């Protein structure tokens, strides 16, 4: 099976769509394990950005992944990518949790909880090109720097969490991330100018 980080653009979308279809059509536990390993940390980070505390984000993430297992047969790649489908489930579960908690600070009409308008074809192409440039930029970075950026931006870990996980001093984590981010930004600026 391909390393998910090495996949880009259409290849990644195809890979995860095929995995989701394998779960839906054949209840393939290996495909589900791959989906879980890739999407669970991303869903949790997404939920934390939607103001869920760590425990709630973990609980909703587990519910989302159970839903993926149970309802994967409803997935239609002609309608959306696997990631769009999974993150839509996550957003809906977050809204449900907010309603159950009846927190007045969460507004159901908040734009964060509204479905996104479909992207215009030229915007979708531009987004895809940017994704490819970012992945290529990450590949050009030294392994240590690329790893720290992935942990920070793809998994949503704080600098302190990264330091704890990698056993690297916090100051070193911060400086390596800053250096990697500046290198990546420079590469993206060069690619955008050309």
């Amino acid at each position: 099976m391909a390393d998910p980080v090495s996949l880009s653009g259409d290849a990644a979308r195809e890979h995860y769509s095929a995995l989701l279809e394998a779960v839906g059509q054949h209840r393939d536990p290996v495909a589900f394990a791959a989906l879980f390993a890739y999407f669970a940390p991303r869903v949790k980070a997404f939920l934390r950005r939607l103001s869920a505390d760590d425990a709630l984000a973990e609980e909703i993430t587990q519910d989302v992944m159970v839903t993926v297992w149970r309802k994967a047969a409803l997935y239609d790649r002609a309608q959306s990518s696997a990631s769009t489908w999974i993150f839509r489930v996550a957003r809906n579960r977050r809204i449900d949790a907010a309603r159950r908690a009846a927190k007045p600070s969460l507004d159901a009409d908040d734009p964060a909880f509204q479905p996104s308008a479909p992207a215009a074809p030229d915007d979708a192409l531009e987004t895809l090109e940017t994704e490819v440039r970012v992945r290529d930029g990450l590949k050009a970075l030294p392994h240590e720097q690329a790893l720290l950026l992935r942990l920070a931006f793809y998994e949503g870990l704080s600098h302190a969490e990264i330091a704890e996980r990698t056993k690297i001093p916090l100051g070193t984590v911060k400086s390596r991330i800053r250096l990697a981010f500046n290198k990546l930004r420079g590469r993206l600026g060069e690619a955008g100018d050309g």
Side-chain angles (χ1 to χ4, degrees):
M1 183 175 296
D3 174 16
V5 175
S6 69
L7 297 175
S8 63
D10 291 337
R13 276 189 288 283
E14 179 65 26
H15 175 72
Y16 294 113
S17 290
L19 290 174
L20 190 53
E21 287 175 341
V23 171
Q25 295 168 3
H26 309 293
R27 291 283 193 219
D28 183 342
V30 174
F32 180 74
L35 285 171
F36 190 97
Y38 183 78
F39 282 105
R42 287 159 176 80
V43 166
K44 183 176 178 182
F46 170 73
L47 293 166
R48 288 174 65 190
R49 285 192 300 272
L50 290 180
S51 73
D53 63 34
D54 203 52
L56 181 60
E58 182 68 35
E59 178 183 328
I60 295 172
T61 298
Q62 294 298 321
D63 184 44
V64 167
M65 298 315 293
V66 167
T67 301
V68 167
W69 174 256
R70 290 181 180 160
K71 304 215 175 190
L74 300 175
Y75 170 68
D76 179 2
R77 79 168 60 206
Q79 298 295 317
S80 66
S81 68
S83 64
T84 299
W85 190 81
I86 292 170
F87 280 97
R88 186 178 301 131
V89 171
R91 189 194 79 228
N92 290 342
R93 291 297 184 272
R94 177 64 180 117
I95 292 169
D96 292 344
R99 287 181 180 150
R100 279 192 307 274
K103 290 184 179 179
S105 62
L106 286 176
D107 179 6
D109 295 325
D110 185 327
F113 298 124
Q114 301 303 316
S116 302
D122 55 336
D123 290 342
L125 179 61
E126 185 176 326
T127 299
L128 176 60
E129 290 171 349
T130 300
E131 288 175 6
V132 169
R133 288 196 330 260
V134 168
R135 283 192 182 90
D136 289 346
L138 280 171
K139 288 178 190 173
L141 292 174
H143 174 73
E144 301 79 24
Q145 292 175 3
L147 172 66
L148 296 179
L149 282 183
R150 285 185 186 101
L151 292 173
F153 292 100
Y154 290 121
E155 293 191 29
L157 298 180
S158 70
H159 290 164
E161 291 169 327
I162 294 170
E164 184 178 320
R165 182 184 287 187
T166 61
K167 307 296 186 232
I168 297 173
L170 180 59
T172 305
V173 167
K174 289 180 179 181
S175 62
R176 284 184 184 172
I177 287 176
R178 186 172 38 255
L179 179 63
F181 189 70
N182 287 336
K183 283 182 183 177
L184 187 60
R185 186 177 6 195
R187 290 185 59 81
L188 293 177
E190 292 169 10
D193 295 338

